Amino acid sequence: MTATAVFTARALLLDMDGTLVNSDASVERVWRRWADRNGLDGDEVMKVVHGRQGYASMALLLPGRPMEQNHADNARMLAEETADTEGVVEVPGARAFLASLKGLPHALVTSADVALSTARMAAAGLEQPDVRVTAESVGASKPDPEGFLKGAAELGVDPADCVVFEDSGAGIAAGRAAGMRVVGIGPRAGFHTPDALVRDLTQVRVEAAADGTIRLHITE
């Protein structure tokens, strides 16, 4: 028997990779090559990289390395990922979910930069939200809450009235640190106890309420 939870919000803040777009194949290819170049175990690297900006993942994996080298490596990695869109597809239900948000306050909050987020959303056949917070917009990577707080501010909505959609531990931690409720998407999210957990976006229905709020019907 399925249970349906109902969340009420004034704005939705959406991660991209793993939430709207399944880019795992590209992420695996690029990061495993980086792991090989740096003498690291690819499986261990993949446990760290989801949800964070590349330089932040590198700082965790190679703690003794100068940060300027991480930033230089990150720039190269972003270019590689932007060029590699093979196998990048929508998370089931993402297109319909975004269409249901037309005219409602929502924003993309991603650790990708503008070029990478544009390439991946296009490869998945998804339309970009009007409000986007990308890597260039923030000074700190998830799990820092800066990106989500910036998204709420751009929409003019109190953080407590926002619901975050995220797949990664870093992203869920960032949403929580911002004082927001979090809907977890997919298996990675299940390890981090979000407020609600769904397999994909086919389990979420959006209703625009008469009082201007957004009602989320989540089938768990």
Side-chain angles (χ1 to χ4, degrees), residues 26 30 77-85 113-117 119-120:
S26 173
V30 171
M77 296 276 285
L78 285 169
E80 283 185 54
E81 289 183 286
T82 301
D84 182 0
T85 56
D113 64 4
V114 169
L116 180 56
S117 60
R120 284 189 175 159

Side-chain angles (χ1 to χ4, degrees), residues 5 7 9 13 25 29-30 33-34 55 59 67 81 123 131 133 149 151 159 164 168 191 200 214:
F7 287 11
L13 302 177
R29 285 191 293 270
V30 171
R33 287 198 298 269
W34 181 86
Y55 73 84
M67 190 56 80
E81 289 183 286
V131 177
V133 179
L149 292 172
V164 165
S168 71
F191 294 106
D200 56 46
I214 302 167

